[in-house]
Amino acid sequence: MKPETLFKLSYGVYIVSSISGEKINGQIANSMIQVTAEPPTIAVSINRNNLTHEFITKSKKLSISILSQSAPMTLIGQFGFKSGRDLDKFKGINYKMGTTGVPVVLDNCVGSLEAEVIDQIEVGTHTVFIAKVLDADVLSNDPVMTYAYYHTIKGGKSPKSAPTYIKEEKTGTGDKAMQKYVCKVCGYVYDPALGDPDNGIKPGTSFEAIPETWVCPLCGADKSQFEAQA
């Protein structure tokens, strides 16, 4: 079997949020689909080890914020590669409390959904929550960020807890100047051929030439958290 075939499937990139008492949390998810139109129903797959899973299970409520192509990697890193058990993911984030009492991220999103869980299915490491949509809003007409765009254009990776995570084979190079480096925290690969133009690193810049103040554009880890890709 060629697992990379699964990369051909179409996914969006979303922030799934929920609430437990006065606490709120959210995470990146890319496995969400519409199941029916009447009543409007969605299904979303969440890893059972995630804090958001715990909140959804308790409250039976969730929101989906649909990311636009303009969403910065730092936003994805904050919600996708850090745990709400260690920090407040919504600190510095523009959001509102929706009609269901669940947080809804507003910036860099093209739309939002609020829903209540009506059923759930346990599948391996994940739970598929089936939820009835109670409210929805269009936030912008910007292009939607697909997983393919995130993966191929943004250079993003899936967290190991994601249902779409596939371990990628490492490929080395004999050219030290073009040696790729991988973030040990989130798996982001710095490719000298591409650089990091969004953060002022021009294509052709070796990893050693990057300023020590540079951090991983995906999760914020510093240079010391990178290692040469074997």
Side-chain angles (χ1 to χ4, degrees), residues 49-87:
N49 291 326
N50 291 358
L51 185 62
T52 303
H53 181 283
E54 178 184 323
F55 284 14
I56 295 174
T57 301
K58 289 180 179 179
S59 69
K60 303 299 182 184
K61 299 177 182 179
L62 60 90
S63 72
I64 307 286
S65 296
I66 306 166
L67 293 182
S68 70
Q69 285 186 6
S70 62
M73 296 296 278
T74 50
L75 177 66
I76 297 173
Q78 181 161 333
F79 280 92
F81 293 93
K82 298 178 181 180
S83 173
R85 296 182 177 92
D86 302 325
L87 79 163

Side-chain angles (χ1 to χ4, degrees), residues 20 26 140 159 223 229:
S20 178
S140 82
K223 280 187 68 177
Q229 192 176 65

Side-chain angles (χ1 to χ4, degrees), residues 58-225:
K58 289 180 179 179
S59 69
K60 303 299 182 184
K61 299 177 182 179
L62 60 90
S63 72
I64 307 286
S65 296
I66 306 166
L67 293 182
S68 70
Q69 285 186 6
S70 62
M73 296 296 278
T74 50
L75 177 66
I76 297 173
Q78 181 161 333
F79 280 92
F81 293 93
K82 298 178 181 180
S83 173
R85 296 182 177 92
D86 302 325
L87 79 163
D88 176 7
K89 291 190 179 184
F90 285 87
K91 185 176 181 180
I93 300 297
N94 184 25
Y95 70 97
K96 69 175 183 178
M97 300 306 290
T99 57
T100 62
V102 176
V104 177
V105 177
L106 300 175
D107 286 346
N108 304 114
C109 294
V110 302
S112 64
L113 306 170
E114 296 181 63
E116 64 176 359
V117 176
I118 57 176
D119 201 357
Q120 61 188 69
I121 305 169
E122 306 303 320
V123 185
T125 56
H126 287 66
T127 297
V128 178
F129 292 101
I130 313 298
K132 179 180 178 182
V133 177
L134 301 178
D135 198 9
D137 192 17
V138 174
L139 302 176
S140 82
N141 293 316
D142 294 340
V144 174
M145 181 183 292
T146 64
Y147 178 69
Y149 184 91
Y150 166 72
H151 187 74
T152 60
I153 305 300
K154 292 278 193 177
K157 306 296 178 181
S158 289
K160 291 183 178 180
S161 61
T164 54
Y165 173 76
I166 297 175
K167 186 176 181 179
E168 298 182 18
E169 296 296 326
K170 296 180 178 180
T171 56
T173 173
D175 186 351
K176 187 175 181 180
M178 299 304 289
Q179 172 71 58
K180 297 179 182 180
Y181 280 74
V182 60
C183 177
K184 294 184 289 184
V185 177
C186 71
Y188 169 83
V189 176
Y190 174 76
D191 184 347
L194 301 177
D196 181 14
D198 290 344
N199 293 294
I201 309 300
K202 296 180 179 180
T205 303
S206 69
F207 185 78
E208 290 77 7
I210 298 175
E212 293 303 314
T213 54
W214 179 84
V215 297
C216 175
L218 185 52
C219 72
D222 60 37
K223 280 187 68 177
S224 67
Q225 296 299 310

Side-chain angles (χ1 to χ4, degrees), residues 35-56:
V35 179
T36 63
E38 188 58 43
T41 308
I42 60 173
V44 60
S45 180
I46 303 292
N47 190 290
R48 291 204 296 270
N49 291 326
N50 291 358
L51 185 62
T52 303
H53 181 283
E54 178 184 323
F55 284 14
I56 295 174

